[in-house]
Every structure is written in structure tokens, then in C-alpha cells.
């Protein structure tokens, strides 16, 4: 029963001074890099020349995460066939901006929270954490996909990176809460931040369902994204782990993902109307196991537990897409274009809770001498139950900062946003 | 001269109790994992924390094989434009099921054949061998693509994994036949098993050629699959090798694949009507070198020999697609949707024979002290000619078990299969 | 104001004796491989069996470069929707031919220039340098895309590989000029060679603009190519580096690419008509940072310098696509289908000049003991300013040999080319 949307004129003279401002911002960025960054030890001209150089260990993981950010997220969002150029294009642009800016912003806040000021060293791990930040921004982008344009998206990126850095610094430095795979700091944060921005920015008079549809081809392009995300997720979860810890991340993540896939298919068949698969479930819910197992991925949870986590995540994700998202739209006016709540939000919370349970039950039996390596807080003298409570605190703080920060940012975005037709490539691209 | 096919009604009420049964099967699976599997040594909480952890060596190969299974096979089969959702979707589902179940089934049969019962340890090599099993199932799926649905596909997967495990255990444990790259245990087995199932299950009254066609776009989607399979094939062949052996696998496989590519183009031009390339050749025959060199890939065959193997495989594969497959359809009623005989079956036999020749001529001159590492049988005292005969025995056994097992499974599949329209996504998917 | 093109009859009887000649050439190739190549030390049956085997270090880089050559270039050129089968098909074929032939041709010329004759050893590094040569041929193919067919393309490949090998041998052996990432020997060479061939072979009476267009889907297929090229470019630049040098390559390349992406978007918006993004810019100019930073990628230039290089390259590349390419067409009759001048030619020159500047200012302060490893010439006693002059000499020689060799080859190609319709798959493929 939506009102007939007022269709805004597609701007043919589209000079967006936002892009000139972006050029200026980039020049400032270069100056900041020249003043405050330097090569890290392993990349100095005098650095290690052997296989012990960290480039050997971390570069493979960086590449996989890079594929997930640029191909994975980029193509997944091309399911909207009238907006696919914008999906893959803005994904490309925002991810690059996030990578560059987050290195500076994270560096700033880490210095601030550790009360210790030094230049930011750039090495392969910096690029990986930069990609993690980009992932967060792109998850939020998925919630508002098709509705926020140009300079407003860039503004959102800047503000979100600040709130992201604050939350991550609190969680990692103050709480010493572990979050291998970013179930909390990346997925939960990105989803709820994006939903908050969407809530402020959605206009039902402008929303035309007919622009937010897929075709057979656009669904296949999206599957490119889905499959590369699914395949490289163990690298996302294990990028900063090593040794037996990393080995466990891979096994746990692969098993969880295999079951979120299987249960996404089962649930889609059983729950969707006419008992037929819905491509949205196959493109998204199949991935939820990777998110849900995240915080526990390096913990000794046992292979069967990963299968359970995946089964629950895949099922719950399809329930989200089938029932919860439509409900949020109709009752609360919260529109979530890509259903990030169902792939990142709720599975992220499952992941955070899983991290709480696994921490509270951690013991030297399971970890031997490595207990203090995995849980820095425990090596500082904390009990495992206290560690579990800190995990919960990190989850709660993440929800608070993401929703609060998202609402604030949403108001700013609303002012900066252009009055364009939702979900339409013609606004920004030639000859579509 | 086909009869006018009787077009079955597309089911709009499609509740397939098979998927509920699958959910039950998955719960049983989780229980079995909890009872019979555990983390392997390198993934225990007390495992190695250095670069010597096997995750460092094997994870890159696992990732590549994973890309081949999920992106490679998945997209290759989307050439059928009316069935592409089902191709890529069932590929995704069956591969995950195969990965999970084969770990248990292979573990069971290895225990049985070695007469030594212990829990199954999960490590990165388990995931790789699980993907090898998945590859076998997907090759068979290619033979019957479009004709077998839902629960029947899952049943086929279960039974095939059992026959696969029995054959592989005989070959590896009893015969000690080497099969780097799985020319016999994966490719030959998967192809002939699939052809046998297809023979039992094909109904010419239901077969409509007009559903089994490609479009320009679907052919380009298929090339995504082709190219990723082609690129990562050296990892498939070399996943469980190491050192100089692995180095040789890569060189031999890359050279063989480059020549199966070139000769596929040459043969396609020269043999196809109007002397124009046929996309089916380019999508499939280009890959045949990787299959054909498989069993010999780690053996000292000389770079020129890899080029010969590739040239022969690419040419023979196109001859298969051009002449042999149509003949099998018309004369024998054996339908092979993806032409797996031409890419996996016959090149797999070439590979097995190559393994026989290389083994029979193996010597300390070529291998030095490594001779016993490559050929466990020779290190047990066997002569190289005997080793060669065992290679032939493995090839023969593979053909026997795959065809016999395939015929039996085909009858079971026939009972479980749904009466649906062949090659049509509408049966299973929304809004295509 | 183009003349009405004379549309040639599409050949329905297309037997191209060129492909039979190719089969003969391949047989000769196999004989040459059997006489003049052998496994390298690390791939002999007696080679190293530990992680020190070079397969461990170099295989990951080989795989990434392989993805760039076959998926990256292959899909990028499918933007031409009426020619996409030919784009991706000829890319596949020419790359395989280049890989095989360049190993022999490069081996021959290296022996010649070093005046030292020995068999060619094949190892993983040979495959990488073979792929570099293939990249050069494919860049040239991009300039003439749609206009040169069949046997003429193969002839071009052969001749280009000879000129490529001569130029690279002069640069590496005689000048000892560094060119990490091939800004000069691959990108500049390939672009100007291709433009020279195009200049000789373009016929405006045959050129129909309506065949050289993209559709929404073909532009999305092209983005598969763009994104995989963009992601793996650090591996292309760093394939033959190691240790701290490789670490720097990755950081410098990622930063440069992120800014060529951002500035391609900015420039496209500001410069293109109606101030809308043009997909050609997003598909190509975003990559220019990787080319431009190439020669300096392993040098200690500072992170901010990589950002500057990327910004300049991205902007200049869009200026090229928007203004320079149309000018070259109208005024000089130089047609450049893929705009290789703007992605490879001019950014390659930027890269070469960057190499000159960084060399001339290199010092022990920056490099410590590694100075002589990075600059072999300096370790032989040269001053850094002299090294810089040799860099310029290599750039100049590259331009000379590529243009001269391209004009000569262009004349030969013109004789060998078939009279076919430009940019039309129907000439070579079934059922498009």
C-alpha cells in the first residue's frame, strides 16, 4: 500500500562539487601520510631479507581479504540489476577510501587510547586491518544500497571510520576482548550502524520496489561475490592468527560455512513460498556461518561445535530474510537493502555470544601454554569467567556505539545526500 | 528423430520431504562428528606455533582446490542458461555435503582397510581430501546435469562417496598405486560413475534439446569456471606433494594445460562444422591436459612429455565432444550433459596409462633417494615393472567399481528422482 | 564523418590453414623443448625436499600473475559485447603460445647476450617470466582488438616475442636497468608495439563503431577482469622480489592502486560529459597506479610517494581516455581499441621516469647493505646518477624497439590478416 512515489528528475547536469572536495581531501591525505607514516621494520631498505620477513606469512591472507572486499562485496551487491554499476563502482571507491583513511584514523585512536604517540608504521598487517575497516563500511553500505549517493557516501565513510576506530580501540585495548574474524567489531558494528543510517535516510515516497529487483544475470553476477566471500572467509577469520590457532580457525570456519550453506538451502526450501529456493538466501545466508563462528574460530570448540554454529546461523539467517526483514520494513520503517541484519547483524551477535561462552570455559587443559597468547587478559591475571564478561561488554559497547554513531551519522548523511532516484544507475553513469 | 517429449507440469507446490530428511541426516552427521572426530595434532590448542605447522604448507593449496570446486565447477555448469541457478546451486550444496560426509566415510574405510580403528583427526589435509571427493561427485553431477533432482542427487552423493572411498582405499592401501592429481580415483571414477547413473536415468521422452542450450552470457559465465579451473589445476595436482616433487607437478601441469588449450583451439577450428570454434570445446577440452598429466605430474617425465600429453589430451577431448558424445547418444542412449567422458573419463584413462608407463620406467637415476618416497611400493621392495602393473590394476579396478557402483546407484536414484521437467530452473527456484 | 563501411561477407567456410600451420609449429616446439630444455635444480628428482625449495616462495606469485593473464586480461576485454568470445578466446590462446614460445626465445637471447650457451632450465621462475611476456603480447592485442584475426595474431605473437626478448635482454644484461613490475619492458613496450601494429593495420572503411560497444552485462564481465588485475597487481610487481624488497613492493603498489582508483573516479566525474562516470575509466584507469609505480615499487620511495604516483596516474589515464585517444583517432588515424596508451603506455613512461628518479637518488642510507642487491649496476661500481641514466637509456631503447619492431611486424601482420568484419564474433564462433 505504498504511495505512488514521486519520481525525481534524473539530473543530466550532474556536477557534484562533492568530488572536487574529495580531490582536496585526498591531497590533505597525502600530506598526512608524508608527515605521520613510515615503512615498518620489515619493509625498510634495511629490513629482513629472509623468509622470516612478515610479508611471507601475511601476504597470502591480505590477498584473500582483498578479493573478499573488492570482488566479494562488489559483485554480491550487483544483484540489483538497475544499480549494478553503482554497487560495484561505489564499493570499489569506498573500499579504497576506507583503506587509506582507516590507517590514519586507527593509528590516531590507538595512540590516543594507549596514551603513547608515535608515527604510524605501515606494513602488511596495516593493509589487512585497513581492509577489515573497509569491510565494516561496505556492510553498512549494503544496508543503504541504492539510497545514498556521492558525497554523502564519502561523508558516511569518514564518520563511520571514526566510530569504528573508537569502538575497536575500546574493545581491544581497554577490554582486551578477543574478536578473531571481527564478529563484533566488523560485522555487528557494520550492520547496526548501517541500519541506523538507513532508518534516518529512508524515504518511502521515493522508494520504488521496481528498481530493487534482480534478473537471472544479475543474480549470477552476485554469485561470483558470494562464492569468493565463502571460499576466502577462513582467511578473513584467520588473517592475524598463526600456528595451531590459525589451523583451528581454518577448520572451524570451513565446517561452519559448509553447514550454513547446507542449512540455508534446507531452510529456503522449507520456509519460502511454493517451497522453492530464493536466490537471496543462497547469495547471503550461506555465508552466515563464517560470521557466526568468527569470535570463536580460533578457540578450541571442537569440530562438531562449528557444524552446530553453522547450522544455527544458516537457518536463522533465512528466517531473517523471510520474516524479520519484511517485518522491520512494514512495522518500523527500517529498510535493509541487502539484509545485512540477517547476514552480519544477527550472526555477528551469535558470534559475540559464542566468544563469551568459549572464553568463560577456556582452560589450560585445552590451550596449554598458549592460553595467555590467545587471551591477553587472562595472561594479565584475569579469570576466564571475567574474560567472558569482558567479551559481553565488548558486544554491548559495539551495539551502543554502532547504533548511536549511526543515528548521528545518519542525520549528517541526510543533509549531504542528493535528491536522486533510488536504485538507478542512470543518475551516475553513462549509457546504461 | 526424437519423440515429441511429454512436458511434465511444473510443480508449483514443491514441498520435497527430501529436504526435511536432509535436515535429519545433518543432525546425525553432527552427532557422528562429535563422537568420532577430533582436531589433529597441528590444530590442537597445544600444537605447533611456528611456521612448521602444516597449515602454512597446505592452506594455500586447499584454497585453490576450494576455488576449483565451488567457482570452477559451479560456474562451468552455468552454460545451460535455463538451468544455471540449479547448476551453481546444486554444485554448492552437493560439494558441502560431500566435504562433510567424505571425511567420515573415507575415515571409516581407511580404518577398515588398514584394520586399525581410531578417531578421525581433522586437519587441513582432511579438508583437501574432502574437496577431492567433492570433485568426484561434481564430475558425476555433470554427466546427469539437468535430469536428477533434489533428494535423488543427495542419495547419489551418499552412495557415490561410499564407492569412491572403497575404490580409493583399495588403490592407495592395497595396491599402493600412486595417483597424484587423481586421474584415476577422481576423474576416471567420477566420469564413468556419472555415465552409468545417466544411462539408467535418462528418459528420451522427457529430454527436450531446447532446454539444453547456452546463450552468449551463459557461455561467458561458464568461462569464469573454465579459467579458474585451468589456472589452479597445478594446485589440485600438487596439493599433497612437496619439495622437488611439487615443483615438478607445477611445471608439468602448466605445460600440459597450455598445450591442451592450444590443441583444443586447433582441433575445434579444424574439426567443427564451418570451421568455427565451438564454445563447448573451449570451455572443456582446454582443461584436459590437467587431467591427463595427473598421475604422472610428479614423476620425472621431462617438460616435452608434458607438452605431448597436453596436445594429445586436448585433441582427443575435442574429438570426443565432436564425434564420440553424439555417437553415444544416438547409438547407445548414453547422455552426457557436460561431456564428462571427454574431459574427465578419457583423459583420466590417458593419465592412468601415463602413470603405468612412468612407474614401470622409474629408476634411481631419475629420483635418487626420493624413489621410495614417490613410490611407497618400490620402497617396500617391489620392482618398478611390478609398480607399473599395480598402476594398471588400480585403473582397472577404478573402471570396474565406478561403472558397477554407478549402475547400482543409478537404479536407486531412479526410484528417488522426482518427475520434473529436465533442465529447467523453474522447478526449484523463484522468479526465474 | 566516417565513410559508410564496406561490410565484408562473413565467411561461412572458414578453413584457416593458419591453424594447420599452428599445429606444425607446435610439433616443432615440442621437439625444441625436448632438445633444449630440462628441469631446473629444484625440480629435478634429486632436488630439495624441504621448504627451501623455490616452489614454496614463488608458486603463490605465479598463481596470481596467472589469474591476471587469463582472467584479468581475458575478461577485461569482453567489454566489447559483439566480440567477447574472441576477446576471451584469443586471450587464452595467445597467452598459452606466448608462455611456451617465450621460454625458448628468451632463453635463446639471454644465451646470446651473455655469450654463454647452455640448455634452458625450467623452474617456477621461468613460468613467471613466461607470463610476463604473455602480458606484453596481450597489451598489444588490446590495441588492435577486433581487427586482426587468426594466423595474423599468431604471427604477431611470434615476432613480438622476439623484439620483446631483445629489448629485455639489452635492458637487463647490458644496461642493468631495474624494472620491477615491468613498467618499461612489459607495459610501455606492449602499448607502443600494439599502437604501431594498429596504425599499419587499421582500415577506416572497415571500421564500424557500432561493433565496438558494450552492454551493461559486458561491462560487468569486464569488471571481473579489472578487479582481479587490481587485486593481484602487487604480486605482478613483486613476483621476483623477496624479503624487505617484496614487502615494500606490496605496500607501494597497494597504495598507488588505491589512489589511481580514487582519482579515476574523481576525474571521470569531473571530466566526462554530463559529469557522469564512464565505465571505460573505471575498468582501466583505476589500474594505472600499478603500472606507474612499477619500476619504483621496490625502491624506498615512502608511502606518500606511492599515493602521489597513483593520483597522477589515475588522473592522467582518464585524461587520456577522454581527450587523447579520440584525438589520436581523428588526427593521426591511430586507433587503440582498449586505450592501452592510457593504461599501459603513458603510465609505463611515468613508471620508467620514476625508476630514473629513485635510482639517481638511491643511497646506502636508504638501503644499507641491500643497495647492491637492488641495483646490480651499483654493486659493480656505478654511481647512482649513472644508474639513473641507464634507467633512462632503457626507457628510450624500449620506445625505439617497440615502435620500430611494431611497425615492421605491422606490415607482416597486414599481409597475413584475413579480410573479415571487424569486431564480430560470428567470423570465428558458432551460434553467437
Amino acid at each position: 500500500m505504498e504511495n505512488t512515489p514521486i519520481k525525481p528528475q534524473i539530473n543530466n547536469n550532474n556536477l557534484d562539487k562533492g568530488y572536487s572536495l574529495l580531490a582536496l581531501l585526498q591531497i590533505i591525505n597525502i600530506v598526512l601520510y608524508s608527515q605521520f607514516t613510515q615503512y615498518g621494520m620489515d619493509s625498510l631498505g634495511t629490513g629482513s631479507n629472509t623468509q622470516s620477513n612478515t610479508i611471507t606469512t601475511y601476504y597470502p591472507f591480505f590477498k584473500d581479504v582483498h578479493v573478499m572486499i573488492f570482488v566479494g562485496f562488489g559483485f554480491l551487491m550487483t544483484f540489483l540489476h538497475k544499480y549494478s554499476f553503482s554497487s560495484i563502482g561505489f564499493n570499489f571507491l569506498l573500499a579504497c577510501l576506507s583503506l587509506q583513511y582507516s590507517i590514519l584514523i586507527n593509528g590516531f585512536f590507538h595512540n590516543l587510547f594507549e596514551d603513547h604517540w608515535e608515527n604510524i608504521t605501515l606494513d602488511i598487517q596495516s593493509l589487512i586491518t585497513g581492509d577489515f575497516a573497509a569491510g565494516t563500511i561496505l556492510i553498512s553500505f549494503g544496508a543503504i544500497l541504492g539510497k545514498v549517493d556521492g558525497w554523502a557516501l564519502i561523508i558516511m565513510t569518514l564518520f563511520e571510520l571514526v566510530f569504528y576506530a573508537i569502538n575497536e580501540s575500546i574493545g581491544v585495548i581497554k577490554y582486551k576482548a578477543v574478536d578473531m574474524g571481527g564478529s563484533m567489531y566488523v560485522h555487528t558494528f557494520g550492520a547496526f550502524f548501517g541500519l541506523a543510517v538507513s532508518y534516518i535516510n529512508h524515504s518511502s515516497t521515493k522508494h520504488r520496489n521496481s528498481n530493487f529487483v534482480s534478473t537471472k544475470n544479475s543474480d549470477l553476477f552476485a554469485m561470483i561475490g558470494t562464492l569468493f566471500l565463502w571460499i576466502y572467509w577462513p582467511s578473513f577469520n584467520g588473517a592475524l592468527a598463526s600456528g595451531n590457532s590459525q589451523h583451528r580457525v581454518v577448520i572451524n570456519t570451513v565446517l561452519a560455512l559448509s553447514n550454513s550453506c547446507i542449512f540455508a538451502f534446507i531452510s529456503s526450501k522449507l520456509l519460502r513460498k511454493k517451497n522453492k529456493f530464493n536466490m537471496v538466501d543462497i547469495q547471503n545466508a550461506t555465508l552466515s556461518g563464517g560470521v557466526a563462528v568468527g569470535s570463536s574460530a580460533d578457540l578450541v570448540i571442537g569440530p562438531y561445535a562449528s557444524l552446530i554454529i553453522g547450522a544455527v546461523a544458516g537457518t536463522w539467517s533465512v528466517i531473517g530474510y523471510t520474516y524479520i526483514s519484511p517485518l522491520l520494513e512494514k512495522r518500523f520503517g527500517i529498510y535493509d537493502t541487502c539484509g545485512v541484519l540477517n547476514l552480519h547483524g544477527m550472526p555477528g551477535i551469535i558470534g559475540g555470544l559464542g566468544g563469551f561462552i568459549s572464553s568463560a570455559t577456556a582452560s589450560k587443559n585445552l590451550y596449554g601454554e598458549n592460553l595467555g597468547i590467545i587471551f591477553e587478559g587472562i595472561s594479565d591475571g584475569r579469570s576466564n569467567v571475567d574474560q567472558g564478561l569482558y567479551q559481553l561488554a565488548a558486544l554491548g559497547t559495539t551495539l551502543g556505539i554502532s547504533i548511536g554513531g549511526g543515528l548521528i551519522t545518519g542525520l549528517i548523511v541526510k543533509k549531504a545526500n542528493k535528491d536522486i532516484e533510488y536504485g538507478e544507475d542512470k543518475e551516475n553513469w553513462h549509457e546504461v
Side-chain angles (χ1 to χ4, degrees), chain A residues 207-229:
Chain A
H207 184 82
R208 296 161 65 85
N209 275 338
S210 57
N211 273 5
F212 288 80
V213 293
S214 65
T215 60
K216 190 151 194 178
N217 281 330
S218 76
D219 273 328
L220 285 171
F221 277 115
M223 281 305 290
I224 297 173
T226 296
L227 290 172
F228 276 105
L229 283 168

Side-chain angles (χ1 to χ4, degrees), chain A residues 311-367:
Chain A
V312 170
T315 308
W316 191 247
S317 194
V318 173
I319 289 172
Y321 279 104
T322 312
Y323 302 119
I324 300 178
S325 284
L327 191 79
L328 287 177
E329 281 185 24
K330 293 198 184 87
R331 289 284 182 88
F332 301 98
I334 301 175
Y335 284 74
D336 181 2
T337 314
C338 293
V340 301
L341 175 70
N342 311 312
L343 170 54
H344 302 278
M346 296 190 298
I349 291 176
I350 292 177
L353 293 174
F356 154 60
I357 296 172
S358 324
S359 304
T361 56
S363 72
K364 266 196 142 74
N365 283 346
L366 291 175
Y367 292 93

Side-chain angles (χ1 to χ4, degrees), chain A residues 96-111:
Chain A
C96 286
L97 291 172
S98 301
L99 173 63
Q100 288 186 7
Y101 295 166
S102 74
I103 284 175
L104 297 177
I105 296 173
N106 275 1
F108 173 82
F109 280 103
H110 281 188
N111 279 341

Side-chain angles (χ1 to χ4, degrees), chain A residues 155-169:
Chain A
I155 291 277
M156 183 192 89
T157 299
L158 277 167
F159 277 84
E160 181 164 7
L161 285 173
V162 169
F163 286 111
Y164 167 84
I166 291 171
N167 183 60
E168 195 250 9
S169 298

Side-chain angles (χ1 to χ4, degrees), chain A residues 36-259:
Chain A
F36 298 118
T37 73
Q38 63 199 39
Y39 291 124
M41 263 189 46
D42 266 8
S43 46
L44 287 170
T46 49
S48 155
N49 248 345
T50 67
Q51 268 207 349
S52 67
N53 192 302
T54 52
I55 192 71
T56 315
T57 345
Y58 287 113
Y59 182 51
F61 289 87
F62 166 74
K63 285 185 298 185
D64 298 342
V65 175
H66 228 40
V67 171
M68 292 174 74
I69 297 296
F70 291 91
V71 170
F73 280 98
F75 271 102
L76 182 54
M77 293 192 283
T78 58
F79 76 100
L80 289 184
H81 86 104
K82 297 192 83 177
Y83 197 72
S84 24
F85 281 7
S86 305
S87 290
I88 206 169
F90 284 133
N91 185 91
F92 201 2
L93 174 63
L94 298 184
C96 286
L97 291 172
S98 301
L99 173 63
Q100 288 186 7
Y101 295 166
S102 74
I103 284 175
L104 297 177
I105 296 173
N106 275 1
F108 173 82
F109 280 103
H110 281 188
N111 279 341
L112 185 70
F113 275 77
E114 284 172 349
D115 197 26
H116 171 74
W117 296 88
E118 59 185 11
N119 256 7
I120 297 164
T121 51
L122 285 181
D123 50 31
I124 189 70
Q125 288 110 304
S126 322
L127 300 181
I128 293 176
T129 51
D131 264 0
F132 284 166
T136 314
I137 272 59
L138 297 176
I139 291 167
S140 305
F141 178 45
I144 57 169
L145 190 68
K147 298 177 184 164
V148 179
D149 195 68
W151 181 238
L153 276 174
I154 295 162
I155 291 277
M156 183 192 89
T157 299
L158 277 167
F159 277 84
E160 181 164 7
L161 285 173
V162 169
F163 286 111
Y164 167 84
I166 291 171
N167 183 60
E168 195 250 9
S169 298
I170 292 175
V172 170
I173 299 171
K174 294 296 167 194
Y175 294 161
K176 295 192 173 57
V178 300
D179 191 26
M180 189 66 68
S183 300
M184 299 188 290
Y185 307 145
V186 173
H187 297 283
T188 306
F189 186 95
F192 286 95
F193 190 99
L195 288 169
V197 173
S198 174
Y199 179 62
I200 303 286
N201 278 276
H202 176 80
S203 156
S204 40
T205 52
K206 292 183 63 178
H207 184 82
R208 296 161 65 85
N209 275 338
S210 57
N211 273 5
F212 288 80
V213 293
S214 65
T215 60
K216 190 151 194 178
N217 281 330
S218 76
D219 273 328
L220 285 171
F221 277 115
M223 281 305 290
I224 297 173
T226 296
L227 290 172
F228 276 105
L229 283 168
W230 193 89
I231 286 167
Y232 288 130
W233 215 292
S235 296
F236 191 93
N237 283 358
L240 302 171
S242 62
N244 70 76
S245 179
Q246 194 178 65
H247 206 142
R248 244 184 341 277
V249 167
V250 173
I251 293 175
N252 288 340
T253 306
V254 171
L255 289 179
L257 281 167
S258 67
N259 243 11

